[in-house]
Amino acid sequence: MHIGFLGLGNMGGPMARNLLKAGHTLTVFDPSPLATAALVELGARTTNGPAELARDGVAAIITMLPTAAHVKDVYLGAEGLLANVNRGVLLIDSSTIDPLSAREVAKAAAAQGNPMLDAPVSGGTGGAAAGTLTFMVGGTDSAFDHAQPLLAAMGKNIVHCGASGNGQVAKIANNMLLGISMVGVAEAMALGVSLGMDAKVLAGIINTSSGRCWSSEINNPFPGVLENAPASRGYSGGFGTDLMLKDLGLATEAARHAKQPVVLGAAAQQLYQTFSLQGYGGLDFSAIINLFRREA
Amino acid sequence: MHIGFLGLGNMGGPMARNLLKAGHTLTVFDPSPLATAALVELGARTTNGPAELARDGVAAIITMLPTAAHVKDVYLGAEGLLANVNRGVLLIDSSTIDPLSAREVAKAAAAQGNPMLDAPVSGGTGGAAAGTLTFMVGGTDSAFDHAQPLLAAMGKNIVHCGASGNGQVAKIANNMLLGISMVGVAEAMALGVSLGMDAKVLAGIINTSSGRCWSSEINNPFPGVLENAPASRGYSGGFGTDLMLKDLGLATEAARHAKQPVVLGAAAQQLYQTFSLQGYGGLDFSAIINLFRREA
Amino acid sequence: MHIGFLGLGNMGGPMARNLLKAGHTLTVFDPSPLATAALVELGARTTNGPAELARDGVAAIITMLPTAAHVKDVYLGAEGLLANVNRGVLLIDSSTIDPLSAREVAKAAAAQGNPMLDAPVSGGTGGAAAGTLTFMVGGTDSAFDHAQPLLAAMGKNIVHCGASGNGQVAKIANNMLLGISMVGVAEAMALGVSLGMDAKVLAGIINTSSGRCWSSEINNPFPGVLENAPASRGYSGGFGTDLMLKDLGLATEAARHAKQPVVLGAAAQQLYQTFSLQGYGGLDFSAIINLFRREA
Amino acid sequence: MHIGFLGLGNMGGPMARNLLKAGHTLTVFDPSPLATAALVELGARTTNGPAELARDGVAAIITMLPTAAHVKDVYLGAEGLLANVNRGVLLIDSSTIDPLSAREVAKAAAAQGNPMLDAPVSGGTGGAAAGTLTFMVGGTDSAFDHAQPLLAAMGKNIVHCGASGNGQVAKIANNMLLGISMVGVAEAMALGVSLGMDAKVLAGIINTSSGRCWSSEINNPFPGVLENAPASRGYSGGFGTDLMLKDLGLATEAARHAKQPVVLGAAAQQLYQTFSLQGYGGLDFSAIINLFRREA
């Protein structure tokens, strides 16, 4: 299939590569010439912007952008996708943005005859490269069915979350819970160790008890508990604190508009913000445990 | 073996019954004549207090009491166990209390030649009846080895957590994390549903993603998500909000003495306290989700 | 002076009336015919929208609108003020909005030769009627000097807070602190009374000690402590919980963009949100104390 | 009057000196020979412990001790005050401890015919030296009347807070509110400055608005706003973060026993604990603002 792909960053780049590998034809665009060149080398065509990309005869367009402002600009702007794309072309936005913006753009697309899906991902740059991302997808059944083979070239779990915007809802609800759980594990591990327990023994007990969670089992924040976790390599790699902050910001903002209290969600956001202010925004978010441990 | 058992409440009663079933001889004591009579009917002997029980030729004593004040009184009082028990008798306290008190009592016991274990449990009254409790045990290796067959008559997982007091540490660290996770799941589910998602679909996504935890998978707080969870039967049964409050109180108090921050732990405690003040302390702790949902 | 006034709600209406009383000529606009008619009766002229109002020969325009979206629409829209107003006309926005939006609009105004001030108020509908509002003003010295006589017709304290946007900064910083202090007073009063103190005695001690603040002295949330406070009349009147929520939302959003932690600010916001969800958003914000008191 | 004085630390020492200055006869005790010698030099008699002090013919005894455990030991121990003092001798405990312990000791004293007051102070070491302390006093009217001249030799404001324990209640309620307000001021000042405001201008606006409080007016945490505040001298002097932590610990513990939610009180406690863990427990508590400011 001939696919347009906009946004070739740390996530978008490897996702586009996996589409090429799966045999699709690609027309790509990214403001960075370097990012673009890397795809062109692998056989992709390039264009000078969204408008031209939209008019390049593509059957579907996938976007992977940093913020809702970028998404609105690329889709709704005068030189954007909607103003230039043919009726019927499938639109898939994999950016992580707030559900309200996602619904607004999807509604505009639908109004002119373009089915649109919000399809944010989890799995990080590793999952993007390996083609094992999880896609959380919001939109109609027919658009979802249509998109599934494309998404399957880039991910492993393709979950239909319901109507438009629900992909974003699922993502921010899950990641808010993740951000809370990680702080919870960090506090519990730091407390237990300061009260005299061995970190591995404590993690073992938690992981077979009612405290168990992804953050204790897969990404335990205490150094040395899991050999392959960021905590055991100085918190490098993984999911950056500032990225967690972005998702918690989306969650608390969405909650504000929905008049929904998220007490621990907001508290977790503020703790990551406090930690980031101290200069650690680039570390894996499990490094938040350092807020609760005496400096060595 | 001839065992003394003190404290025949909702947990201690069924635990003592399982020891009888396993063929042990029991001398029991409880201030409630009714609770005592139930055990006597099954073949236990009774006494008029801790002192007499300690002098009844028992090889081990197990206690299951509500607070550290009770534990100190029963062990350290003039008419208590330590003043009356023979050297060498194994002492096991299964109460959930703060680690400092547990260590203080164990130290006094050791000083007069009585090995002592702190062995708080998880698994609730159901686990106590079924003999499937988890025991988190703190104390020496030899005392642990000695106690294991006794504990195995009452539980399924018998975990050695390290030195004296560490059973309590493991329990409060795990339960603090549990209390936090449950609020996190409650906020995430309430937010997702208010933003338009179906509760079961959202739970399904979380449970296969990085937000998954015991509280989302086994005790999901949203009504209807899990047929057999308290949420689907009006939050009856389960682990009461006021019991969670007790454990969070132990955790934040232990943290205070250890000069250890537990920001979300303290916040979760206050939320359960707020909810309990509104009259819901008897409901399963997953009912905390009602703090985040508009009244029907 | 001939002044244009847009937004004749609970605040804008009485503010416009005070300008008329001070002898100014007014051209007004509000989507509500009723609100408009009330001013016309007192001698104001009316128009059919911002564009016409801007072209009515006014020397200054004052706006009082509910949200940043309204402000952007009224100022920056195709049929808005900037597209239609003469160079040099002074623009004053008294809406409470986020500082970033305020700065964006003021920059656009300045770029076409219109000095613009952000001038949010405090003092409530009572202060608006009595002409005793406080204006927190951001913008250039010359614009401030120019505006002062106009503002003085509507308020008592006219404070220059610095450059453009700083009026909004001062307002949200002050109100965030107010929102936190009120919860603090509520918790302290509820705690003291539940521990056996008389509420008036406790308030008296706090008000002569280091805990004293506006919320304890002027708007004490405990019923009966201050005869004229909302707490002593069922929390009616005063500054509504949902208005406090709006300001806390602006504060935490501005903090998010500034990458600034506001831990208690965010916690207070969530508490008011929890309280509002229970149906009490219309009560004075001091009613938050009911979250901490057992139902009578 | 012949007065016994126990506890001659940073607070007790200068308080005892003021009693000597006022012409009273003193018998003192402190475990530190140095502290004792300083008072003996000024004319006080010394003894070898509480028991001997109680039997030295004193008409009143004042104690100033670090914790409830010390207070219970000194009053209730076998070699303590109650076991040795004559009926009718007035007992005044100026330690800051939890209300429950204060009530327990006072009840024991009353039972044997000794009127007892809890009389914690505020005003710091400066107020102790200058004799300008505030005493918050709990106990009967007659005991209060009896004690007033003694307390007036050491303080300026002597406030009767009601029955036994209420002095402690007033102290912890006020100081919890103080701890919250200071964090609130710190967040508001840091936010306002990071959004572009001048710190002095912002403080000026807050201090004439509804955000005003002791922490903004008298102990503003932003450096340079108040010349004589700890913030303008590297946060030295003042009321140490770890002392604030102690009082917040007493407040949240008392709240726990009273089943009373203190959401912001607990959050503030955890923030000071986080800050103290980073090594700053000795700085004035206004230094908490550094948790919210980017390192210079």
Side-chain angles (χ1 to χ4, degrees):
Chain A
M1 200 192 286
H2 186 184
I3 304 167
F5 203 110
L6 259 129
L8 304 167
N10 292 332
M11 295 295 293
M15 287 165 71
R17 275 196 286 281
N18 281 324
L19 287 171
L20 282 176
K21 272 189 217 159
H24 297 289
T25 304
L26 245 62
T27 299
V28 302
F29 175 72
D30 191 279
S32 150
L34 226 72
T36 309
L39 266 292
V40 169
E41 232 169 77
L42 298 170
R45 210 144 80 190
T46 186
T47 59
N48 65 6
E52 201 180 293
L53 182 145
R55 292 190 307 257
D56 199 35
V58 295
I61 300 176
I62 301 174
T63 50
M64 190 59 168
L65 303 163
T67 70
H70 291 92
V71 170
K72 285 185 188 179
D73 196 44
V74 158
Y75 280 89
L76 308 179
E79 292 300 304
L81 296 174
L82 294 194
N84 291 283
V85 76
N86 287 337
R87 243 182 101 88
V89 171
L90 174 65
L91 305 173
I92 304 174
D93 180 37
S94 280
S95 319
T96 295
I97 63 171
D98 65 283
L100 292 184
S101 297
R103 284 169 183 157
E104 179 190 339
V105 175
K107 203 175 157 186
Q112 66 171 48
N114 290 97
M116 180 164 178
L117 299 169
D118 50 298
V121 302
S122 71
T125 54
T132 58
L133 293 169
T134 293
F135 283 89
M136 288 158 274
V137 187
T140 62
D141 286 349
S142 64
F144 179 75
D145 293 344
H146 191 175
Q148 207 158 13
L150 288 187
L151 300 179
M154 302 179 285
K156 209 174 54 176
N157 291 304
I158 322 292
V159 192
H160 193 189
C161 302
S164 183
N166 280 7
Q168 302 295 351
V169 173
K171 170 101 192 247
I172 63 177
N174 181 75
N175 279 20
M176 184 180 79
L177 176 51
L178 171 61
I180 292 169
S181 301
M182 179 55 86
V183 175
V185 174
E187 292 184 2
M189 291 295 303
L191 175 61
V193 170
S194 86
L195 289 171
M197 280 205 72
D198 177 78
K200 281 194 180 183
V201 172
L202 179 54
I205 291 166
I206 287 173
N207 288 339
T208 54
S209 303
S210 50
R212 73 173 162 75
C213 57
W214 185 92
S215 295
S216 62
E217 292 178 294
I218 308 297
N219 192 12
N220 197 293
F222 206 95
V225 166
L226 297 173
E227 241 176 72
N228 295 317
S232 296
R233 51 168 195 263
Y235 302 100
S236 64
F239 183 53
T241 296
D242 283 345
L243 291 173
M244 174 50 83
L245 256 178
K246 180 199 163 189
D247 288 0
L248 286 168
L250 291 174
T252 54
E253 259 302 276
R256 181 160 79 103
H257 287 292
K259 302 185 182 309
Q260 192 63 35
V262 285
V263 188
L264 293 198
Q269 178 185 2
Q270 298 303 325
L271 291 173
Y272 290 108
Q273 186 63 76
T274 301
F275 188 57
S276 179
L277 189 77
Q278 297 180 357
Y280 304 115
L283 299 183
D284 182 74
F285 76 118
S286 63
I288 191 73
I289 196 173
N290 288 326
L291 212 51
F292 310 117
R293 298 189 65 202
R294 208 170 297 276
E295 300 284 328
Chain B
M1 200 192 289
H2 186 184
I3 303 166
F5 203 108
L6 259 129
L8 304 167
N10 291 332
M11 294 296 293
M15 287 165 71
R17 275 196 287 279
N18 280 324
L19 287 171
L20 281 175
K21 272 189 215 159
H24 296 288
T25 305
L26 246 64
T27 300
V28 301
F29 175 72
D30 191 279
S32 151
L34 225 72
T36 309
L39 267 291
V40 169
E41 232 169 77
L42 298 170
R45 210 145 80 190
T46 185
T47 61
N48 65 8
E52 203 180 291
L53 181 145
R55 290 192 308 257
D56 199 36
V58 295
I61 299 175
I62 300 173
T63 50
M64 191 59 168
L65 304 162
T67 70
H70 292 92
V71 171
K72 286 185 187 179
D73 196 46
V74 159
Y75 279 89
L76 308 179
E79 292 300 305
L81 295 175
L82 293 194
N84 291 283
V85 77
N86 287 338
R87 245 182 100 89
V89 171
L90 174 66
L91 306 172
I92 303 173
D93 180 36
S94 280
S95 319
T96 294
I97 64 172
D98 65 283
L100 292 183
S101 297
R103 284 169 183 157
E104 178 190 339
V105 175
K107 203 175 158 186
Q112 65 170 50
N114 290 98
M116 180 164 179
L117 298 169
D118 51 298
V121 303
S122 72
T125 52
T132 57
L133 293 169
T134 292
F135 283 89
M136 289 159 273
V137 187
T140 63
D141 286 351
S142 64
F144 179 76
D145 293 345
H146 191 173
Q148 207 159 14
L150 289 187
L151 301 178
M154 302 178 286
K156 208 174 54 175
N157 291 303
I158 322 291
V159 191
H160 193 189
C161 303
S164 182
N166 280 7
Q168 302 294 353
V169 173
K171 169 101 192 244
I172 63 176
N174 180 76
N175 278 20
M176 184 180 79
L177 176 52
L178 171 62
I180 293 168
S181 301
M182 180 55 86
V183 176
V185 174
E187 292 184 2
M189 292 295 303
L191 175 61
V193 170
S194 86
L195 289 171
M197 279 205 71
D198 176 79
K200 281 195 181 183
V201 173
L202 179 55
I205 291 166
I206 287 174
N207 288 339
T208 53
S209 305
S210 51
R212 75 175 160 76
C213 56
W214 185 92
S215 296
S216 62
E217 292 177 295
I218 308 298
N219 193 12
N220 198 291
F222 206 96
V225 167
L226 297 174
E227 239 176 74
N228 295 316
S232 297
R233 52 171 192 261
Y235 302 100
S236 65
F239 183 54
T241 296
D242 283 346
L243 291 173
M244 174 50 83
L245 254 180
K246 180 199 164 191
D247 289 1
L248 285 169
L250 291 174
T252 54
E253 257 303 275
R256 180 161 79 103
H257 288 291
K259 301 184 185 308
Q260 192 64 35
V262 285
V263 187
L264 293 198
Q269 177 184 0
Q270 298 302 324
L271 290 174
Y272 290 108
Q273 186 64 77
T274 301
F275 188 58
S276 178
L277 189 77
Q278 296 179 357
Y280 305 115
L283 298 184
D284 183 73
F285 76 120
S286 63
I288 191 74
I289 197 174
N290 288 326
L291 213 50
F292 308 117
R293 298 189 66 203
R294 206 172 299 274
E295 300 285 331
Chain C
M1 201 192 285
H2 186 185
I3 304 167
F5 203 108
L6 260 129
L8 304 168
N10 291 332
M11 294 296 293
M15 288 164 71
R17 275 196 285 281
N18 280 323
L19 288 170
L20 281 176
K21 272 188 216 159
H24 297 289
T25 304
L26 247 63
T27 300
V28 302
F29 176 72
D30 191 279
S32 150
L34 226 71
T36 308
L39 266 291
V40 169
E41 231 168 81
L42 298 170
R45 212 146 76 191
T46 187
T47 60
N48 66 7
E52 201 180 295
L53 182 145
R55 290 191 307 258
D56 199 36
V58 295
I61 299 176
I62 301 174
T63 50
M64 191 58 169
L65 303 163
T67 70
H70 292 91
V71 171
K72 286 186 187 179
D73 196 44
V74 159
Y75 279 89
L76 308 179
E79 292 299 304
L81 296 174
L82 294 194
N84 292 282
V85 77
N86 287 337
R87 246 180 99 88
V89 171
L90 174 66
L91 306 173
I92 304 174
D93 180 37
S94 279
S95 318
T96 295
I97 63 171
D98 65 284
L100 292 184
S101 297
R103 285 169 182 156
E104 178 190 340
V105 175
K107 203 175 157 187
Q112 66 171 49
N114 289 97
M116 180 166 177
L117 298 168
D118 50 299
V121 303
S122 72
T125 52
T132 58
L133 294 169
T134 292
F135 284 89
M136 289 158 274
V137 186
T140 63
D141 287 349
S142 64
F144 178 76
D145 292 345
H146 191 175
Q148 207 157 15
L150 288 187
L151 301 178
M154 302 179 286
K156 208 175 54 177
N157 292 304
I158 322 292
V159 192
H160 194 189
C161 303
S164 182
N166 280 8
Q168 302 294 354
V169 173
K171 169 102 192 244
I172 63 177
N174 180 76
N175 278 19
M176 183 180 80
L177 176 51
L178 171 62
I180 293 169
S181 301
M182 181 54 86
V183 177
V185 173
E187 292 184 1
M189 291 296 303
L191 175 62
V193 170
S194 85
L195 289 171
M197 280 205 72
D198 176 78
K200 280 194 181 183
V201 173
L202 178 54
I205 291 166
I206 287 174
N207 288 339
T208 55
S209 304
S210 50
R212 73 174 161 76
C213 55
W214 186 92
S215 296
S216 62
E217 292 177 294
I218 307 298
N219 193 12
N220 197 293
F222 206 95
V225 167
L226 297 173
E227 239 175 75
N228 295 317
S232 297
R233 51 169 194 262
Y235 302 100
S236 65
F239 183 53
T241 296
D242 283 345
L243 290 173
M244 174 50 84
L245 255 179
K246 180 199 163 189
D247 288 0
L248 286 168
L250 291 174
T252 54
E253 257 303 276
R256 180 160 79 102
H257 288 292
K259 302 186 183 306
Q260 193 62 35
V262 286
V263 187
L264 293 198
Q269 179 185 0
Q270 298 302 325
L271 290 173
Y272 290 107
Q273 186 64 75
T274 301
F275 189 57
S276 179
L277 188 77
Q278 297 180 357
Y280 304 115
L283 298 183
D284 182 73
F285 75 119
S286 63
I288 191 73
I289 195 173
N290 287 327
L291 212 50
F292 309 118
R293 298 190 66 203
R294 206 172 299 276
E295 300 284 330
Chain D
M1 200 194 285
H2 185 183
I3 303 167
F5 203 110
L6 259 128
L8 303 166
N10 291 333
M11 295 296 292
M15 287 165 71
R17 276 196 286 280
N18 281 324
L19 288 170
L20 282 176
K21 273 189 216 160
H24 296 290
T25 305
L26 246 63
T27 299
V28 302
F29 175 72
D30 191 279
S32 150
L34 224 72
T36 309
L39 266 292
V40 169
E41 230 168 80
L42 298 170
R45 212 145 79 191
T46 186
T47 59
N48 66 7
E52 202 180 292
L53 182 145
R55 291 190 307 259
D56 199 36
V58 294
I61 299 176
I62 301 173
T63 50
M64 190 59 169
L65 303 162
T67 70
H70 291 92
V71 171
K72 286 186 186 177
D73 196 46
V74 159
Y75 279 89
L76 307 179
E79 292 300 305
L81 295 174
L82 293 194
N84 291 282
V85 77
N86 286 338
R87 243 180 102 86
V89 170
L90 174 65
L91 306 172
I92 304 173
D93 181 37
S94 280
S95 319
T96 295
I97 64 172
D98 65 283
L100 291 184
S101 298
R103 284 169 182 156
E104 178 190 340
V105 175
K107 201 176 160 187
Q112 66 171 49
N114 290 99
M116 179 163 179
L117 298 168
D118 51 298
V121 303
S122 72
T125 53
T132 59
L133 293 169
T134 292
F135 283 90
M136 288 158 273
V137 188
T140 63
D141 286 350
S142 65
F144 178 75
D145 293 345
H146 191 176
Q148 205 158 15
L150 289 187
L151 301 178
M154 302 179 287
K156 209 174 54 175
N157 291 304
I158 323 291
V159 191
H160 193 190
C161 303
S164 183
N166 281 7
Q168 302 294 353
V169 173
K171 170 100 192 244
I172 63 176
N174 180 76
N175 279 20
M176 183 180 80
L177 176 51
L178 171 61
I180 293 169
S181 301
M182 180 56 86
V183 176
V185 174
E187 293 184 2
M189 291 295 302
L191 175 62
V193 170
S194 86
L195 289 171
M197 279 205 72
D198 176 78
K200 280 194 181 184
V201 172
L202 179 55
I205 291 166
I206 287 174
N207 288 340
T208 54
S209 304
S210 51
R212 74 175 162 75
C213 56
W214 186 92
S215 295
S216 63
E217 292 177 294
I218 308 297
N219 193 13
N220 197 292
F222 206 95
V225 167
L226 297 174
E227 240 175 73
N228 295 316
S232 297
R233 51 170 194 262
Y235 301 100
S236 65
F239 183 53
T241 296
D242 283 346
L243 290 173
M244 175 49 84
L245 255 179
K246 180 198 163 190
D247 288 1
L248 285 169
L250 291 173
T252 55
E253 257 302 276
R256 181 161 79 102
H257 287 292
K259 302 185 184 308
Q260 192 62 36
V262 284
V263 187
L264 293 199
Q269 178 185 0
Q270 299 302 325
L271 290 174
Y272 290 108
Q273 186 63 77
T274 301
F275 189 57
S276 179
L277 189 78
Q278 297 180 358
Y280 304 114
L283 298 183
D284 183 73
F285 76 119
S286 63
I288 191 73
I289 197 174
N290 288 325
L291 212 51
F292 309 117
R293 297 189 65 202
R294 208 171 299 275
E295 300 284 329

